[in-house]
Amino acid sequence: MNKNKTVTCSFSMDREIYNAFKSVITRNGENVKGNLIRYMQSVINYEIPNSETIAAIEEVQKMKSDPTIGKTYNNVDEMMRDLLDV
């Protein structure tokens, strides 16, 4: 990487929070640094820093690319009946 285009980040945080985060990330076969970089890239791409929103957007993109995922509706009333379990 070009040194003029890189930055070294350094910060301090609570060890318990870091260890909890690290245990979740490594359980999924990822590393902490790589996960943070991917998260930052998602924030840039979607301009939304909320991880749940990012996950929902990605889920919709997968569903759009594969119509066999999820259920489709012809009208809002049908969808609301399913959502409200009426």
Side-chain angles (χ1 to χ4, degrees):
M1 271 192 216
N2 182 336
K3 280 192 168 195
N4 293 329
K5 294 187 177 188
T6 62
V7 62
T8 300
C9 298
S10 178
F11 58 92
S12 297
M13 67 183 300
D14 181 86
R15 182 166 297 283
E16 285 184 35
I17 292 172
Y18 174 81
N19 288 339
F21 180 75
K22 183 179 178 181
S23 71
V24 170
I25 299 306
T26 56
R27 194 176 325 133
N28 292 321
E30 300 175 12
N31 66 52
V32 174
K33 182 179 175 183
N35 184 276
L36 289 172
I37 292 169
R38 280 189 298 281
Y39 180 77
M40 286 188 281
Q41 189 61 53
S42 294
V43 169
I44 293 165
N45 291 344
Y46 300 119
E47 295 183 3
I48 302 169
N50 180 300
S51 61
E52 290 84 9
T53 303
I54 292 169
I57 291 169
E58 290 172 348
E59 181 181 10
V60 168
Q61 289 172 339
K62 287 177 190 173
M63 292 171 75
K64 283 182 172 182
S65 68
D66 184 356
T68 63
I69 300 173
K71 184 175 180 179
T72 60
Y73 295 92
N74 294 320
N75 64 60
V76 175
D77 292 333
E78 180 185 351
M79 180 185 70
M80 291 306 292
R81 278 193 296 275
D82 277 0
L83 288 172
L84 299 173
D85 204 24
V86 178

